[in-house]
Amino acid sequence: MLSIFAQADIPDIQWLPLIPHLVMAGAAVVLLTIVSVAGRWLPKWFPAAWTVAAGLAVLATAIPVWMRAWEWGPHSVVAGSIGVDGFSVFIIVLLACTVVLTALVADGFLQRESLDGPAFYVLLMLSATGGITMASANNLIVLFLGLEILSLAVYVLVAMHLRRAESQEAGIKYFVLGAFASAFLLYGIALVYGATGSLNLADIRLKQGWFAYAPDGSLSQDAGMQSVPEDAVVALADNSLLLAGMAMLLVGFGFKVAAVPFHAWTPDVYQGAPSPVVSYMAAGVKAAGFAALLRVFFAGFGGFADDWQPVVFGLAIATLAVGSLMAIVQTDVKRILAYSSISHAGFILVGVQAATDAGVSSVLFYLAAYAAMAIGSFAVVTVVSGPGDEGTALDNLRGLASRRPLLAAAFTVLLLSQAGIPFTAGFWAKFEVITAAVDARSFWLAVIAMLAAVVAAFLYLRIVVAMFLDAPDPDAPRLHIPRGPALAITIVVLFTLAFGIYPEPLLNLADDAWLSISFVAH
């Protein structure tokens, strides 16, 4: 059977689309080798500089892949297991940017905490490699392998602060619950294979198309599709097995994106993990999780959108409500931002639930905007937390404007963006997903999303009030802002303001990225 992504004049294996994967993974292996052989002679800044260079190299290699995707159209390589399209390139670029920014944030933190810097950067790049694989996977097993590469590295990163019991506890919680989520995902893959006889998303989508167009068992030809054997239709005669597999997959993805009710790990893990690790989890891991969810449920299960839309509708409502309301009662900034991350996942699910091209484009825009906001916010927390990464209570931010006015102003911009205030990227992100829900006639979901945004604005204003109106602690130590976090915060603030004032370039890029793959969802 011909894969949707396949083209007769394209060789099965093309190395160019794989270069971003190879550069990110190769940079991690080479860094580990260099440090093992000549670590004692290397300057302390070398691992961070190497990681930043690797991220920029991935960005450079993504350009010809994007051009190839538009020149040849969406296609697959490596026996149809890796999709080459604008969607995968968009996520690759986003993950490369998160690696660069996280490396900048982590540099000063690792030196301050006397932690093993090279191990952090190696694991960071390996985790990003897994995320890139997830975003490009056109095969469920390849997707699972990418998920495990991403997850195993992050488990270690969460628990790497060996002198903090909270970090060890967070690592154990994340590992145990992550193992359960992986089991659900793998079980779902098995059920989908049992129902369709294939692990390739394009093949699964083709068989759904035949089932949808021939409910009586006839072999009526679907426009634009090659002939499908009769046994392929019989495999979907009873779709209950496939629906069960879809439910299991949704549970696994729900854990990775911190959707309610699979969110219980998020506040404790965010509070206990090293702050730079949390910035990567909130930006990179969430982006990879949603990329995999979109690819599977649109490119693979688009024919069953009427079945999974109500479930996503319920998840979005629960995630918006729990994330917004629970954040209000928190007193630790990392826990506040953890529940904020849950709330943002709810907004992204609003776009997913629309099950339209506009909905998915809005999700891509939201992922880019939120990545900047999350990394910048946790970069500020990294600076303020002080030695031991202990000073993350809301009281530690009191009077920050009088001690570090530029830092407080930057944090305010990022918080206002998360609240959805106009002239910030966060405003357009929320506007786009809510508009997509309205266009899809999900009016109640749009109303609930707007109410959740109003409630969430209160918690961000709490932090702003503490920074600008509360008196600073006279005994508070002077804050030292390393160059790496300062540069990262500057970049994300400029990004947030630039695309808040003029969002069209990023919106158009998100539209182009999805439209190069969206035809398989119809």
Side-chain angles (χ1 to χ4, degrees):
M1 182 172 61
L2 183 68
S3 169
I4 292 178
F5 292 110
Q7 294 184 5
D9 56 344
I10 298 178
D12 190 47
I13 296 181
Q14 287 287 315
W15 290 106
L16 177 62
L18 300 178
I19 290 179
H21 305 69
L22 299 176
V23 169
M24 188 66 79
V29 175
V30 172
L31 176 60
L32 184 62
T33 304
I34 293 175
V35 171
S36 300
V37 174
R40 68 180 66 181
W41 296 289
L42 296 175
K44 292 183 178 180
W45 51 262
F46 178 80
W50 179 275
T51 305
V52 170
L56 295 176
V58 172
L59 289 176
T61 59
I63 296 175
V65 179
W66 176 276
M67 297 174 62
R68 178 65 61 87
W70 279 100
E71 178 184 354
W72 288 4
H75 56 280
S76 60
V77 296
V78 191
S81 61
I82 299 293
V84 183
D85 44 57
F87 173 79
S88 61
V89 177
F90 186 95
I91 301 298
I92 289 172
V93 170
L94 179 56
L95 289 173
C97 291
T98 63
V99 168
V100 171
L101 294 172
T102 303
L104 293 174
V105 173
D107 184 32
F109 174 86
L110 296 174
Q111 295 184 31
R112 185 186 75 193
E113 302 297 321
S114 300
L115 296 176
D116 185 9
F120 175 93
Y121 297 108
V122 170
L123 291 169
L124 176 64
M125 288 186 283
L126 290 176
S127 176
T129 303
I132 291 173
T133 303
M134 290 172 64
S136 306
N138 195 34
N139 182 287
L140 291 176
I141 290 298
V142 173
L143 185 146
F144 180 76
L145 292 175
L147 174 69
E148 290 305 297
I149 294 172
L150 177 142
S151 300
L152 290 174
V154 176
Y155 296 153
V156 180
L157 287 172
V158 170
M160 73 175 300
H161 203 319
L162 300 179
R163 293 186 299 277
R164 292 188 68 232
E166 296 87 348
S167 179
Q168 310 300 299
E169 179 183 353
I172 290 296
K173 287 181 178 179
Y174 193 38
F175 171 73
V176 172
L177 294 177
F180 276 107
S182 296
F184 274 101
L185 193 73
L186 194 58
Y187 193 23
I189 291 173
L191 292 178
V192 170
Y193 180 76
T196 64
S198 178
L199 295 170
N200 184 279
L201 293 178
D203 293 344
I204 293 171
R205 181 65 185 89
L206 278 174
K207 294 183 180 183
Q208 289 175 56
W210 270 98
F211 179 75
Y213 285 97
D216 59 350
S218 63
L219 296 180
S220 57
Q221 182 79 14
D222 185 9
M225 293 186 180
Q226 299 293 320
S227 297
V228 180
E230 185 173 358
D231 59 352
V233 181
V234 176
L236 285 181
D238 181 8
N239 62 8
S240 59
L241 195 62
L242 180 61
L243 294 177
M246 290 165 52
M248 293 290 183
L249 289 171
L250 192 58
V251 170
F253 291 134
F255 174 86
K256 284 302 170 188
V257 302
V260 176
F262 317 111
H263 70 292
W265 60 274
T266 311
D268 292 339
V269 172
Y270 276 37
Q271 185 178 19
S275 296
V277 176
V278 182
S279 70
Y280 173 71
M281 292 176 64
V285 174
K286 189 179 292 290
F290 270 111
L293 187 152
L294 291 173
R295 197 167 196 97
V296 170
F297 278 83
F298 281 80
F301 302 138
F304 281 92
D306 290 340
D307 294 296
W308 56 257
Q309 272 183 288
V311 180
V312 177
F313 185 99
L315 290 178
I317 292 177
T319 305
L320 287 167
V322 172
S324 300
L325 295 176
M326 291 299 295
I328 295 176
V329 300
Q330 305 301 317
T331 58
D332 185 276
V333 177
K334 290 174 76 172
R335 292 186 72 89
I336 291 175
L337 294 177
Y339 280 107
S340 168
S341 177
I342 294 171
S343 176
H344 285 292
F347 281 101
I348 297 173
L349 287 172
V350 171
V352 175
Q353 188 275 337
T356 61
D357 289 342
V360 181
S361 298
S362 69
V363 167
L364 294 179
F365 182 90
Y366 205 118
L367 289 174
Y370 178 67
M373 295 183 288
I375 291 177
S377 298
F378 283 106
V380 175
V381 173
T382 301
V383 172
V384 175
S385 63
D389 205 20
E390 298 287 350
T392 60
L394 187 59
D395 291 340
N396 294 98
L397 290 175
R398 299 190 186 281
L400 181 62
S402 61
R403 292 186 289 157
R404 287 288 186 175
L406 290 180
L407 185 65
F411 198 15
T412 300
V413 171
L414 297 170
L415 291 173
L416 293 179
S417 182
Q418 293 195 55
I421 301 301
F423 303 109
T424 63
F427 167 78
W428 290 108
K430 286 182 169 60
F431 179 81
E432 290 296 320
V433 295
I434 292 174
T435 300
V438 172
D439 291 341
R441 307 191 65 80
S442 298
F443 300 117
W444 282 110
L445 183 58
V447 170
I448 292 172
M450 288 186 283
L451 292 176
V454 173
V455 174
F458 171 76
L459 69 96
Y460 301 120
L461 293 177
R462 279 181 64 202
I463 302 177
V464 174
V465 168
M467 291 191 296
F468 284 89
L469 300 183
D470 291 352
D473 184 358
D475 299 328
R478 186 177 184 276
L479 290 179
H480 170 66
I481 306 178
R483 286 175 293 181
L487 179 58
I489 293 170
T490 302
I491 292 173
V492 297
V493 168
L494 292 176
F495 177 94
T496 299
L497 292 176
F499 288 109
I501 297 172
Y502 187 59
E504 281 79 5
L506 187 57
L507 288 172
N508 293 335
L509 189 64
D511 289 338
D512 293 341
W514 178 246
L515 288 176
S516 72
I517 186 179
S518 62
F519 69 90
V520 302
H522 295 304

